[in-house]
Amino acid sequence: MSIIGVGIDVAEIERFARSLERTPGMAERLFLESELLLPSGERRGVASLAARFAAKEALAKALGAPGGLRWTDAEVYVEESGQPRLRVTGTVAARAAELGVQVWHVSLSHDAGVASAVVVAER
């Protein structure tokens, strides 16, 4: 296997929260319903959403930051083990296929008012 791309991004949690409050419908444009809700059905907290937003930005960077990628064509989910994963469809899957991406690695974190994510794309 070889690394095709690496992306990293950070999001200030309070700034992200203000953007969500200020822009109705923004969360639905950025995230799938499965990303907005916890397994219990409760709404996911803003720090967790900010980390998922950072992961989508990092994913785009790992793909060379092409235009035309749809936010909802990338889903950040968590396995039962607690490990975050990426599922790609549509525009994101097409770009990944162009580059030969076969495996994704993602790491999420949030602390001290900042959410961060790293994405590695491998062939």
Side-chain angles (χ1 to χ4, degrees):
M1 295 218 160
S2 62
I3 294 175
I4 294 172
V6 177
I8 185 169
D9 197 70
V10 297
E12 183 184 350
I13 296 169
E14 280 303 313
R15 182 176 177 207
F16 186 74
R18 286 192 306 271
S19 294
L20 289 175
E21 290 172 11
R22 190 176 52 247
T23 310
M26 181 177 166
E28 287 73 20
R29 286 194 304 274
L30 294 175
F31 304 107
L32 296 168
E33 185 174 337
S34 60
E35 293 173 300
L36 293 170
L37 302 175
L38 294 167
S40 65
E42 293 179 62
R43 182 121 174 147
R44 190 174 296 280
V46 70
S48 180
L49 290 177
R52 281 159 173 72
F53 174 73
K56 292 182 182 209
E57 288 278 355
L59 169 65
K61 291 173 183 177
L63 293 175
L69 299 180
R70 293 187 61 227
W71 293 105
T72 55
D73 285 349
E75 177 186 10
V76 180
Y77 69 97
V78 178
E79 292 185 335
E80 284 187 28
S81 67
Q83 184 173 359
R85 294 284 186 194
L86 289 170
R87 183 177 295 122
V88 299
T89 59
T91 59
V92 178
R95 176 63 177 167
E98 281 178 33
L99 298 174
V101 177
Q102 296 177 15
V103 179
W104 296 103
H105 304 278
V106 60
S107 180
L108 308 174
S109 185
H110 47 80
D111 188 32
V114 176
S116 62
V118 174
V119 171
V120 177
E122 275 191 309
R123 179 177 334 209

